[in-house]
Amino acid sequence: MTDKYQTREERRKQLEASKKNAPKKAKKKGSINLFKRVLLILLTIGIIGIIAGGVTFAIMVKDAPELNPETLKDPISSTIYDKNNDEIAKVGAVNRDYVNYEDIPDLVKDAFIATEDSRFFKHHGIDPIRLGGAVIANFKNGFGSEGASTITQQVVKNFFFNQPQKTLNRKAQEAWLALELERKYSKEEIFEMYVNKIFMSENMSGVKTAAKVYYDKNLDELTLPEAALLAGMPQAPNAYNPFNNPERAEKRRNIVLSLMYQHGYISKAEMEEAQKTSVEDTLVAKENRQSNDLKYDPFIKQVIAEIEKKYPDVNVFTDGLEIYTTMDKDAQEYVEELMYKGEIVKFPNEDFQAGITLLDTKTGGILALGGDRDPEVKLGTNYATDVPRQPGSTIKPILDYGPAVEYLKWGSYQTLVDEPTTYNDVNKTPINNFDNRFLGSMTMREALARSRNIPALKAFRAAGAENAQEFAVNLGIPLDDIQESYSIGGLRDGITSLQLAGAYSAFGNEGVYNEPHAVRSFKLKDGTKINMEPKSKVVMQDYTAFIISDMLKTVVSGPNGTGALANVPGLPIAGKTGTTNYSKDDRERFNIPNDGRVPDAWFAGYTTNYTMAVWTGYKDRKNGLLANGYDQKVAQHIFKAVMGHISEDVETADFKQPNSVETIKIEKGTYPARLASSYTPSSQILTEYAVKGNILNEISQKYNKPNAPAGVKASYNENRDEIELSWSYGDKKGIKFDVSVSVDGGASEQLTVTSDTSLKIAKPTPGSSYTFTVKAIKDDQESDPVSSNISVPEKIEEQPPVDPNETIDDEEDQDDSNGEESGDNQDEKDNEDSNNGGENNSNNGNGNNNGNGSNNGNGNNNGNNDTGNSNVQNDNTSTTATNQDKDRNRD
């Protein structure tokens, strides 16, 4: 009852107090419970994680190989097979001198440990500190970007693992075996395994062998810079081979020296002194270097390079691989015979070099390589694959005409003007042709065949620089930038014959590009097969591939082609020549005469079966000069010899015209190009190709059939005794008229060719019928003929004149009294006619002309008067005999 009577204020305070106390107790209890639950969950997850991790790790390592003492001692060679899967070579595991740990000098130990594993003697196979740094790097840059392998792990990897992929499973097994290796073997034994196993290029393994090969020294005779160089090689043996790449080897050596200083093995002064030493000065002299007798050296080197580039963890020399290649053994041996013996093709001298790449056009597989002309050099400089040079005019189908066909749909008839031109640079630098001449308008086909530079630049500009760059990159030509000078081959970084052959093969393969490759596949020791064949990709339209191929055939077999020496009779070959030159600055700097000598000469070409690119020149571009003449044609001779040999007894199809291309007839010399008309002479017609839907519509009018003459009329002028022939014509510019005649239905004979529109024929044959035919002529075209007929009237036979002093018999006088009178009248008529020129009489007999006719000739008229003797008069003129002449005839 007390509560019931509390005041309102008391009840409010009591309620607030109860609310204030109740939540505090609930919140505290709830927080404690939540913390416990989270902690329990984390502990549970941790336990599960540990268990799961342990189980996962156990699963990963359960298939790890066992540590085999024999395997730890001997590397395994790899076997290489040709395209028919026949064995051609074994590499690795054959050239190694073993060295025991106690015989390894401290200098060599220090160099390798500082470089590969500075904490080698402190860890137990796995280095957590090194691992932590690698994890961070992999997190930032992606898995596999940086390795954490210790020397122990590298031994495990080299002896037991050759998988090309860095998988978590493999890394787990590698870590497990590293711990096992450290448990079973001492640090000294592990280090001994390492330095004897490592591949050191030149087809050899082990540091002791390397010291002998590179320096002709025992390990204890090596100097600091020499030991540092060898310690730096295992990361990339072929790349840091001092025989082949002394500059790269020196940079790597200097890094090793800095690491040795960093870890306290040498002083700063020792480091700096060693870094000044020239690598080349310390190596074995070139003439004293040992040959490793590796067969098919240029090709084998490419095989190794391809595997190392794509799968750097795989070691061809030690991992016991089975490598299946694209090599054609017969072709490779023929190329090597050509390169080494100099009998198939004569070389100017021993220093003259060549780089040869032979591909399968359809697959991009490398069939043969010619890398160097010195058979004693093994795995050395390969001029076919390693030495990029400016390609000259061989780049024109790739950067100029190919893009123009691809993007603008130009046909092979497209006309360009070879005329004075400059680059679009600040200085407006002139561009010239090789002969410093300009040939005017020509088709794209002719410009390519003649290798004219200015039309090539114009095609490049028309297609657009960006399009040209994209087109080239899709063909495997590495271009980081694009400039107008590239259009004629002045590439800043150059290209190799391997890259050029790859690009050309796409034209011969209907626009499908396959990256050139020497390896089809390889098998690991465990039987795992790794496919190495690249994927095909369409890089151009089929019309582009065909039109470029057909134009390039003209380079080899056309009348003006620059590649005639490369032609193999009976083979449909497309190809292109190329030479480079020295700039004015180069000639002045290197004192090079301006007499036509060049630094590089190329030929690249293909059939539907094979593609081949050949570079020729000298090692030093500055001093190696190819003289004008045979020196610059050697590349063509090489191409012809090899292409002819490999194509022997092989059916070679011509390039197939696709449905996207049409054949058209162009009239020669038209600019812009025009279709030939029905009147164009056959000698002036060019057969060219056009992209369907992009055909020319304009027809040339040059040889159109001229109009026929009008109003052709023949009439006989009796007073002048001549036939007058006339006609009319409109615009007579460039027009002439062919006039012929037929007499009495006989054969037609040409009278004249004239630019006038009238003609007169004097003294036609009386009683004869004349048919005149007139045709208009323009250039080589004739109009339809137009004819006109005329008949010449017969002449009346006249009596000879009578002498008035002649005595006549009476009978005659009587009988002929009327006739006498008639005779007098006739004499008067004769005299009258004589005074009028006697135009109506002609001499129709032999001997002297005693009549009152005209004499058609000088002296006596001894022949019958016919059209052959008639005087032909032009311009309305005729010849009339004088009275004096007629009087003389009477006498």
Side-chain angles (χ1 to χ4, degrees):
M1 294 294 295
T2 305
D3 293 337
K4 182 177 180 181
Y5 294 104
Q6 287 177 335
T7 64
R8 187 177 299 174
E9 184 62 21
E10 289 176 342
R11 290 197 299 270
R12 183 181 65 77
K13 289 180 180 180
Q14 186 178 3
L15 181 62
E16 287 179 354
S18 64
K19 288 181 179 180
K20 186 176 180 180
N21 294 332
K24 283 184 179 181
K25 293 178 182 179
K27 182 177 180 181
K28 182 177 181 180
K29 184 177 180 180
S31 298
I32 294 173
N33 291 337
L34 178 62
F35 176 76
K36 289 180 179 180
R37 285 197 297 269
V38 171
L39 181 60
L40 181 60
I41 290 172
L42 291 176
L43 289 173
T44 303
I45 291 174
I47 294 171
I48 294 173
I50 292 172
I51 296 173
V55 172
T56 302
F57 186 78
I59 293 173
M60 287 181 175
V61 302
K62 72 180 181 64
D63 295 325
E66 295 182 2
L67 293 178
N68 186 331
E70 293 300 322
T71 304
L72 290 170
K73 293 290 183 181
D74 297 318
I76 303 174
S77 62
S78 294
T79 305
I80 301 178
Y81 301 89
D82 67 6
K83 70 173 187 176
N84 298 319
N85 297 335
D86 294 328
E87 182 180 326
I88 56 175
K90 285 185 180 293
V91 295
V94 292
N95 187 12
R96 183 188 64 167
D97 294 324
Y98 200 89
V99 59
N100 295 317
Y101 180 81
E102 58 267 22
D103 296 324
I104 304 173
D106 289 341
L107 178 63
V108 175
K109 296 176 186 175
D110 295 344
F112 275 95
I113 290 175
T115 305
E116 296 294 334
D117 187 358
S118 62
R119 289 169 41 83
F120 174 66
F121 286 101
K122 297 178 181 179
H123 61 67
H124 298 285
I126 300 175
D127 187 353
I129 297 176
R130 188 181 181 95
L131 179 62
V135 168
I136 294 173
N138 289 328
F139 179 77
K140 291 181 178 179
N141 305 318
F143 182 72
S145 62
E146 182 177 312
S149 297
T150 63
I151 285 179
T152 308
Q153 288 175 285
Q154 290 184 54
V155 170
V156 170
K157 179 180 68 176
N158 289 340
F159 283 98
F160 298 102
F161 296 101
N162 57 4
Q163 288 91 340
Q165 297 86 9
K166 291 183 178 181
T167 63
L168 287 173
N169 188 65
R170 195 203 77 175
K171 298 302 288 185
Q173 293 182 2
E174 181 184 296
W176 170 256
L177 288 180
L179 295 172
E180 283 289 292
L181 190 65
E182 290 269 355
R183 188 173 64 84
K184 292 185 177 182
Y185 295 91
S186 67
K187 289 286 187 179
E188 290 77 11
E189 289 175 315
I190 294 172
F191 188 82
E192 179 182 316
M193 295 174 192
Y194 173 74
V195 295
N196 282 288
K197 173 73 172 179
I198 52 176
F199 174 60
M200 299 295 286
S201 192
E202 293 294 313
N203 198 27
M204 65 181 169
S205 298
V207 66
K208 182 178 179 180
T209 312
K212 197 69 176 174
V213 170
Y214 293 121
Y215 300 110
D216 193 23
K217 292 181 178 181
N218 294 320
L219 287 178
D220 57 2
E221 298 175 317
L222 293 176
T223 64
L224 173 59
E226 292 168 347
L229 185 143
L230 296 181
M233 289 186 65
Q235 187 183 77
N238 290 327
Y240 298 133
N241 183 319
F243 286 166
N244 304 328
N245 305 302
E247 292 182 0
R248 295 176 69 178
E250 185 171 312
K251 291 180 180 178
R252 176 63 177 164
R253 180 206 64 187
N254 291 343
I255 291 175
V256 173
L257 290 169
S258 66
L259 290 172
M260 293 181 72
Y261 165 66
Q262 176 183 333
H263 294 296
Y265 292 108
I266 60 175
S267 66
K268 184 176 182 181
E270 289 175 316
M271 177 191 71
E272 293 175 347
E273 182 66 25
Q275 288 177 338
K276 295 177 182 177
T277 305
S278 168
V279 165
E280 293 187 273
D281 290 345
T282 61
L283 298 172
V284 172
K286 185 175 181 180
E287 60 272 15
N288 296 326
R289 294 173 186 175
Q290 300 176 6
S291 172
N292 58 22
D293 296 324
L294 183 64
K295 293 184 67 176
Y296 313 123
D297 170 74
F299 191 92
I300 298 300
K301 182 182 179 184
Q302 180 63 20
V303 169
I304 296 168
E306 287 184 14
I307 294 177
E308 286 184 344
K309 180 180 179 181
K310 196 166 185 179
Y311 300 109
D313 283 352
V314 173
N315 192 322
V316 174
F317 293 88
T318 61
D319 290 347
L321 309 176
E322 292 183 10
I323 305 171
Y324 298 90
T325 74
T326 60
M327 191 183 88
D328 184 304
K329 184 177 178 181
D330 175 69
Q332 182 65 39
E333 290 178 347
Y334 186 82
V335 168
E336 291 187 10
E337 180 183 357
L338 181 149
M339 292 283 278
Y340 298 151
K341 295 184 178 181
E343 296 176 357
I344 298 173
V345 173
K346 299 295 182 183
F347 292 99
N349 53 63
E350 292 184 357
D351 294 329
F352 189 97
Q353 284 292 349
I356 302 172
T357 298
L358 178 66
L359 303 180
D360 183 313
T361 299
K362 297 180 178 63
T363 67
I366 302 173
L367 303 176
L369 289 173
D372 186 277
R373 292 194 54 235
D374 186 352
E376 299 302 319
V377 174
K378 298 301 179 182
L379 299 180
T381 301
N382 189 329
Y383 286 98
T385 61
D386 299 341
V387 184
R389 302 292 280 261
Q390 291 185 350
S393 293
T394 60
I395 204 67
K396 290 175 181 175
I398 300 170
L399 277 180
D400 308 329
Y401 300 113
V405 177
E406 179 74 7
Y407 299 108
L408 304 178
K409 297 185 178 180
W410 279 9
S412 59
Y413 58 82
Q414 183 71 32
T415 48
L416 299 156
V417 181
D418 184 15
E419 59 188 350
T421 306
T422 63
Y423 289 114
N424 289 329
D425 56 11
V426 176
N427 299 322
K428 294 296 180 182
T429 306
I431 174 175
N432 294 308
N433 295 302
F434 68 93
D435 56 2
N436 293 315
R437 297 170 56 216
F438 308 103
L439 302 183
S441 172
M442 62 182 65
T443 64
M444 179 168 62
R445 178 189 298 276
E446 183 179 359
L448 184 57
R450 291 180 178 272
S451 200
R452 309 304 290 178
N453 288 340
I454 293 164
L457 173 61
K458 290 186 175 182
F460 172 87
R461 287 174 173 172
E466 291 183 0
N467 284 337
Q469 182 179 7
E470 179 184 11
F471 191 82
V473 169
N474 285 337
L475 289 173
I477 304 299
L479 291 181
D480 294 330
D481 68 328
I482 190 71
Q483 301 175 25
E484 286 194 337
S485 60
Y486 288 10
S487 66
I488 59 172
L491 276 63
R492 182 188 62 202
D493 298 326
I495 59 176
T496 64
S497 71
L498 181 68
Q499 292 167 330
L500 184 61
Y504 270 49
S505 68
F507 291 115
N509 195 33
E510 300 179 350
V512 178
Y513 174 74
N514 293 290
E515 182 182 357
H517 59 283
V519 181
R520 290 178 288 146
S521 64
F522 65 88
K523 286 183 180 180
L524 306 175
K525 285 185 298 184
D526 62 5
T528 303
K529 182 179 179 180
I530 307 297
N531 182 34
M532 290 276 287
E533 291 185 298
K535 292 183 179 180
S536 300
K537 60 178 181 178
V538 177
V539 294
M540 68 182 83
Q541 299 292 332
D542 57 0
Y543 60 73
T544 303
F546 176 78
I547 290 175
I548 292 297
S549 295
D550 193 76
M551 293 195 301
L552 288 176
K553 286 171 65 176
T554 310
V555 175
V556 178
S557 57
N560 301 311
T562 58
L565 293 176
N567 189 31
V568 180
L571 283 183
I573 296 175
K576 185 70 188 76
T577 55
T579 56
T580 61
N581 56 20
Y582 294 102
S583 66
K584 183 179 178 181
D585 292 340
D586 286 342
R587 289 198 303 269
E588 293 176 354
R589 186 184 308 118
F590 306 124
N591 195 28
I592 298 172
N594 188 16
D595 58 359
R597 284 184 271 187
V598 302
D600 309 282
W602 295 76
F603 188 85
Y606 54 93
T607 67
T608 51
N609 294 328
Y610 308 113
T611 300
M612 185 175 174
V614 183
W615 165 85
T616 57
Y618 291 90
K619 178 180 179 181
D620 188 348
R621 186 178 186 272
K622 300 175 183 177
N623 299 322
L625 306 177
L626 301 179
N628 197 2
Y630 180 78
D631 286 15
Q632 297 178 22
K633 307 297 182 182
V634 173
Q636 294 188 51
H637 289 293
I638 292 174
F639 178 92
K640 180 176 182 178
V642 177
M643 186 62 75
H645 175 79
I646 197 173
S647 299
E648 190 174 356
D649 300 326
V650 176
E651 183 177 351
T652 303
D654 201 351
F655 304 102
K656 183 180 178 181
Q657 180 178 340
N659 294 331
S660 57
V661 173
E662 293 189 20
T663 303
I664 60 174
K665 303 292 184 180
I666 300 297
E667 187 173 291
K668 186 187 297 184
T670 53
Y671 178 78
R674 295 288 183 268
L675 293 173
S677 70
S678 57
Y679 308 111
T680 303
S682 59
S683 62
Q684 299 300 308
I685 295 177
L686 301 174
T687 300
E688 298 292 351
Y689 292 101
V691 178
K692 187 174 290 186
N694 201 51
I695 297 177
L696 289 172
N697 295 318
E698 297 189 37
I699 301 174
S700 172
Q701 305 297 318
K702 180 179 181 181
Y703 294 104
N704 276 9
K705 187 175 181 178
N707 295 326
V712 177
K713 180 180 180 183
S715 60
Y716 176 69
N717 188 323
E718 185 175 0
N719 290 332
R720 294 181 175 275
D721 189 21
E722 63 184 14
I723 296 174
E724 297 176 349
L725 180 66
S726 62
W727 60 91
S728 61
Y729 204 83
D731 183 4
K732 294 194 299 177
K733 183 178 180 181
I735 298 292
K736 289 188 177 182
F737 303 98
D738 181 310
V739 182
S740 59
V741 64
S742 171
V743 180
D744 296 329
S748 180
E749 298 181 6
Q750 186 183 64
L751 286 178
T752 187
V753 175
T754 178
S755 56
D756 295 317
T757 55
S758 63
L759 187 68
K760 294 183 179 181
I761 299 88
K763 310 307 177 195
T765 302
S768 293
S769 175
Y770 290 79
T771 300
F772 296 95
T773 301
V774 183
K775 295 183 291 185
I777 302 174
K778 185 176 183 181
D779 297 321
D780 293 336
Q781 295 296 310
E782 297 181 347
S783 71
D784 293 331
V786 181
S787 300
S788 179
N789 300 319
I790 184 70
S791 295
V792 179
E794 293 280 0
K795 299 294 183 182
I796 300 174
E797 189 68 28
E798 298 181 1
Q799 296 297 326
V802 179
D803 188 344
N805 297 322
E806 181 180 358
T807 302
I808 302 175
D809 292 342
D810 291 339
E811 290 181 3
E812 292 176 351
D813 189 40
Q814 292 174 355
D815 294 339
D816 297 327
S817 59
N818 293 333
E820 235 177 273
E821 183 179 295
S822 297
D824 293 338
N825 293 337
Q826 184 62 43
D827 287 342
E828 291 176 5
K829 178 64 176 176
D830 289 342
N831 290 334
E832 180 180 353
D833 288 342
S834 177
N835 291 334
N836 291 330
E839 293 176 352
N840 294 326
N841 293 324
S842 61
N843 183 10
N844 296 319
N846 295 326
N848 293 332
N849 182 1
N850 294 321
N852 294 326
S854 61
N855 186 3
N856 298 327
N858 295 327
N860 295 334
N861 183 357
N862 295 321
N864 294 327
N865 184 22
D866 57 23
T867 58
N869 296 327
S870 298
N871 290 335
V872 179
Q873 304 293 332
N874 295 331
D875 300 325
N876 300 318
T877 60
S878 62
T879 302
T880 306
T882 63
N883 290 335
Q884 181 179 358
D885 291 334
K886 289 191 281 291
D887 290 340
R888 183 180 300 114
N889 287 338
R890 290 197 199 97
D891 293 339

